[in-house]
Amino acid sequence: MRANRIISLKLSGRGAAIFCTSRSTKPSSSSSQQKSSPRAKAEKLKRRREREETILLNRNSSVDDKKVKLSDKEKIVYPICKPPGTKKDTSFPFPSSYSPEYVESSWYQWWEKEGFFSPEQHERVSHAVDQTFSLCIPPPNVTGSLHLGHALTVAVEDALVRWRRMQGYRVLWVPGCDHAGIATQTVVERRLLNQEGKHRQDFTREEFLQELWKWKNQKGEEIYHQLRRLGASLDWSRACFTMDPGFSRAVTKAFVRLCDSGLIYRSEGLVNWSCALESSISDIEVDSKELPGQTMLSVPGYENKVEFGTIVTFAYPIEGHDGEVEVSTTRPETMLGDVAIAVHPNDPRYQGVHGKHCKHPFTNRLLPIITDSVVDMELGTGAVKVTPAHDHTDFLLSQRHSLPCLTVIAGDGTMMPPCGEWLKGVKRFDARQLILDALVEKKLFRGKTNHAMTLPVCSRSGDIIEPLLKKQWFIQCDEMAKKAIQAVEDGQLEIIPHCFTKTWKNWLSNISDWCISRQLWWGHQIPAYQVELCNSTEKQEEQWVWGQSENEARHRAAVKYGVKLEDVTLTQDPDVLDTWFSSALFPFAMLGWPEKTTDLQRFYPNSILETGNDLIFFWVARMVMLGTELTRQLPFKQVVFHSLVRDEHGRKMSKSLGNVIDPLDVINGVTLERLQEKVEEGNFDPRERRVAMEAQRKNFPKGIPQCGTDALRFALCSHKMQGEDISLSISQVLSCRYFCNKIWHTLRYTLGVMGFAHSEVVPLKPLGVMDRWICSRLYSTVLQCEKGFEAYELHTVTSALYSFWVHSLCDVYMEYVKPVLSHRARQVASSVLYHCVSMSLVMLSPFMPFITEELWQRLQPFRPGPAAQTSLCLEQYPCSSKLSHWHFPEEERDFLLVQEVVRVARSLRAQCGMTKEKPASNGQLGCFFFLFI
């Protein structure tokens, strides 16, 4: 955290969390999340470099060498043109092979038009139960398209939503988008500069906001299109955007209520500042760039690259003394803001100078030499410069010693007048060299060496973060954090997996006050007003009021200061609220809060929150704190975290690395050329661009083949989402497409059997051993699915379904059925086959909604008994308690060995390359015979 000079903190095992141990008299926005040690950071940097070198040095000629390869298939297109929303005609002849493009056409438009995803359809379901299941989708930013990380969230949440809906629950899953203040404004500013050569300042605020709304409308529709293509069963009639009028009223109400309760206050504090954006930014928008030593980096606003990763040592002369004190810094431009020199009280080198002063060589100010045990006397010279206005640690140190704060760098990154005329208006990194030259001239320069360091970088602009003192609005978090910790300890809020409970407590126990001001135009303008009183002869200090409207604020000011309404002049704060403030209100604002709507009464608190584990601090914790404070209820009962998606080289998928994959590229297929065009269009460091493009060439030498939505969803849910991060490869998705093909041909065979034999499905009374065995395996699969869904372990559900369909139904029972169908028992066998296939499609539906709907609809003409639901997504999910008469454990146990033998035999057959044209040798037949014995 400490970028401007060498210092270590002795913290009794609490690491860097000392920066946020308690709320000080003046707030700091530095993150209270514990930081990793320098050694851990160095190891992380080393691993990242090794991954990049593996890519660049081409140690593996192609990641696809051992992958499943998909031969080009002829695309089959649904040939019937009907108005959108019309039910698909499944009486059309069954295509000879599986085609995602054919299967996925038309269904979603019909589902949406019929209102199957609305909680109101609950009343029409025959198996409805009096229970609700509600959640919100983590609202994606309107800055661009979704990536595979978003696709994982959608696949997991939609599986849970569809499962509960099929159980008869009243289900509400609300879609939405986040306005993403800094990210969106940055993108639009860059676009306007590139296309029109204009800066934000060339527009009025209203004109610039019009440009932002154009962008939002375009990108918001793209995101919603992607969600529909992913099959997300969201209630689109309740779609919510964080800057909709209703949501904006909720944000204003929340701010005013928190101000009235004293939880929001205005104060001067040290914030993360981006000079390129001229705004404070949140901790999550600060990236830590690890530098091994001297590194030249591009910085916005500078024509030439700027040097980082070096440390400079210079001397301060001691006033009235022949000696000097040497200090080291990586940011010499901040030395104009030094107000003291700190040494350890027990350092023998400085025992004689305690209480003395050093003279600043450029301003002649006297800097006191103070003592503080935070200084490591064994590191560097044992003395450190103290710059409270530009360093988080120094800010806390200055409070302990009542030191002044001197700001020398302005919000635009230029040096301020207190630095002197020779530096006034000079950009900070240009001033760095001027200061070094002046130190050399004054013979105070003592050297420069390489220095490994962590550089804070703005993830939105690429600018180097400058800690600055600013008057901002802050939220007191300590009491709200205690309640959030207590909720988990008391069992009112469950965090899954439970390993994150400790992380939750540690972070909230060390939380600092939250800076919610942002110096932007895009976002919710802060509903606070600076007050000026007419005819006042006294010098007025900064006075503020707040209100849900300017009229309300004016009345508050008149009452507060005892004046008439016409004597009050109000000026609204031009800043906007941090995006995370409005996002924290999502679980209840989406339901109409602060109004007592029917939705709020029925669906709040939400049943669960499901999201990536990287948002535990920045979104989840804040939702719990603000939700509990504003509604007096926890916003949800459970928090379920899934792992992060990484690429095949183990790197986190990030737009800044160029390794994100658009889920539509996996669904539809994409060429390598198009993938590389997307990287070229991005704003990357040259090395990162080279690594990204080389990784694409190795991972997708022929592009990405068409996999389809169902295969992608099934592949994503097949990973253990509560374990280690997911390294997803396209070969895994291709394997799931093969599974789709297996399902397709199984249904072709089943429909052929039913049609050819003119079979009537009879009530299922399995007579033969094989019939009892497959029915028992189906019962066991239903039981496994129930347990997996209840525990949010979707990988066990997908594994059970795959195993039953491939290894039990196809490998064993269907082989048995083929000769039996020609005998008298064919009616029983075909009925058993029908029930196994039909029920399996129902169980697969939460993961593979398109192919299961297509095939289930084709099975309906053969369905016995009462008519089914209109759509598979409303069909009742199988329940093990109603199928216990199908449980035959002895048959399952006996056939377990047979099933394993079949699996091994098939594997050996493939390994030996046996085909109809190349039959097995006598030795191979003997091997198979031995296996069966």
Side-chain angles (χ1 to χ4, degrees), residues 369-382:
I369 300 175
I370 63 174
T371 61
D372 198 299
S373 58
V374 76
V375 181
D376 187 347
M377 57 185 174
E378 296 180 358
L379 193 63
T381 65

Side-chain angles (χ1 to χ4, degrees), residues 647-704:
D647 66 12
E648 297 180 47
H649 303 281
R651 301 179 303 161
K652 180 180 177 180
M653 286 197 172
S654 167
K655 292 179 182 178
S656 62
L657 294 178
N659 62 346
V660 297
I661 299 176
D662 185 336
L664 297 190
D665 288 342
V666 181
I667 293 171
N668 301 325
V670 67
T671 63
L672 174 62
E673 291 72 23
R674 178 58 190 140
L675 287 172
Q676 305 237 300
E677 284 176 9
K678 292 183 179 182
V679 175
E680 291 285 2
E681 293 166 2
N683 183 24
F684 298 106
D685 175 270
R687 175 185 169 83
E688 289 174 346
R689 177 180 286 108
R690 190 158 56 94
V691 171
M693 297 184 73
E694 183 59 34
Q696 287 180 340
R697 278 191 287 269
K698 293 175 64 177
N699 295 341
F700 318 116
K702 297 181 180 179
I704 299 176

Side-chain angles (χ1 to χ4, degrees), residues 47 180 221-222 393 419 463 470 514 616-617 736 747 763 844 864:
R47 289 195 299 271
E221 287 305 313
E222 286 183 18
T393 307
C419 301
D463 191 22
K470 293 286 183 180
W514 172 16
I616 182 171
F617 309 124
C736 292
L747 261 293
L844 280 165

